[in-house]
Amino acid sequence: EALEAYKEALRLMRAKLGNDHPNVAMMLTCVGAAYQCQGRHAEALEAHEEALRIRRAKLGDDHPDVAETLNHKGMVYFKQERYAKALETY
C-alpha cells in the first residue's frame, strides 16, 4: 500500500511541479525505498538514479539531499551483495 501511495503522490507532484522539481526527487527517493523493501532492486536503483539526477541538477553535488540519495543507492547495492559498488556509492 505504501508504494502505491508514494506513486500516486509522485504522479500528482509531477503534474503540479514538473519532472525536475526537488520535491519530485524526494518522492522518487520514497518510491525507491519502498521498492527496496520489496526486494525490487532494479526498480529501486532506477528511482534513486532519477532522484540523484534531479537533485544534482537543482541543488548541486554538495547538497545533503544528494548525499541522502547516494546513501539510498548504496543500501540497494549492499542488499544485492554488491559490496564494492556500495562502498563506491556511499
Side-chain angles (χ1 to χ4, degrees):
E1 289 181 34
L3 178 59
E4 293 310 314
Y6 288 144
K7 288 168 87 176
E8 177 64 11
L10 177 60
R11 185 189 67 74
L12 293 170
M13 285 185 179
R14 286 186 193 272
K16 292 290 182 184
L17 303 173
N19 289 325
D20 290 331
H21 194 278
N23 288 355
V24 170
M26 175 197 65
M27 193 52 56
L28 282 162
T29 300
C30 292
V31 168
Y35 278 135
Q36 179 186 340
C37 287
Q38 293 179 355
R40 296 165 66 178
H41 299 126
E43 291 157 301
L45 286 172
E46 186 177 309
H48 291 316
E49 279 293 332
E50 186 176 356
L52 186 61
R53 180 191 58 77
I54 294 167
R55 285 179 163 174
R56 281 187 163 151
K58 296 295 181 179
L59 305 173
D61 287 337
D62 294 334
H63 195 279
D65 289 352
V66 171
E68 175 193 27
T69 306
L70 288 168
N71 183 59
H72 281 283
K73 279 185 63 180
M75 290 184 337
V76 174
Y77 290 131
F78 184 83
K79 289 285 187 181
Q80 292 178 313
E81 299 180 0
R82 296 169 64 188
Y83 302 120
K85 190 74 172 169
L87 282 172
E88 176 185 311
T89 304
Y90 283 133

